[in-house]
Amino acid sequence: MQRGLLHQPVISPALVTGAAGSGRTTTIVEAALTRIREGADPSSVLVFASSRQAAASIRELCTLRSRGFDVPRVSTFHSFALDVVSRTEEMPVRL
């Protein structure tokens, strides 16, 4: 499954699942960076993580492995949704 993700078309969304230690984070990072190296605009690559800690880990690995490329946006679903709502609402959203 993990090798297949790296060879999916650039426009395809992907869901990576697996047990702890199965290589999910590495697979996600390499898939995102491969798309960018192949010409995708980094701002068009979005990586969702299940927690803030997972997002920070993915973001850190992307930065370390990017070799000078811009890195994709890495966010939790909730953080991304709050950002979208905040940008589209006239009043700031408060939680």
Side-chain angles (χ1 to χ4, degrees):
M1 176 197 83
Q2 294 165 345
R3 282 194 185 115
L5 176 63
L6 297 177
H7 301 294
Q8 275 188 330
V10 171
I11 59 170
S12 295
L15 173 65
V16 178
T17 61
S22 65
R24 282 186 319 259
T25 301
T26 300
T27 300
I28 291 167
V29 168
E30 289 306 317
L33 294 178
T34 296
R35 284 160 172 68
I36 293 168
R37 287 182 197 118
E38 290 178 351
D41 180 0
S43 66
S44 71
V45 179
L46 174 61
V47 177
F48 282 135
S50 58
S51 67
R52 287 181 281 186
Q53 182 180 4
S57 176
I58 293 169
R59 200 175 298 115
E60 180 181 353
L61 277 175
C62 280
T63 301
L64 290 172
R65 295 184 180 184
S66 67
R67 298 186 201 133
F69 287 97
D70 287 336
V71 296
R73 178 171 181 181
V74 181
S75 175
T76 63
F77 173 80
H78 297 96
S79 175
F80 178 77
L82 179 62
D83 186 49
V84 169
V85 170
S86 297
R87 289 175 188 233
T88 58
E89 292 294 318
E90 291 182 14
M91 295 173 48
V93 176
R94 302 226 190 269
L95 295 180

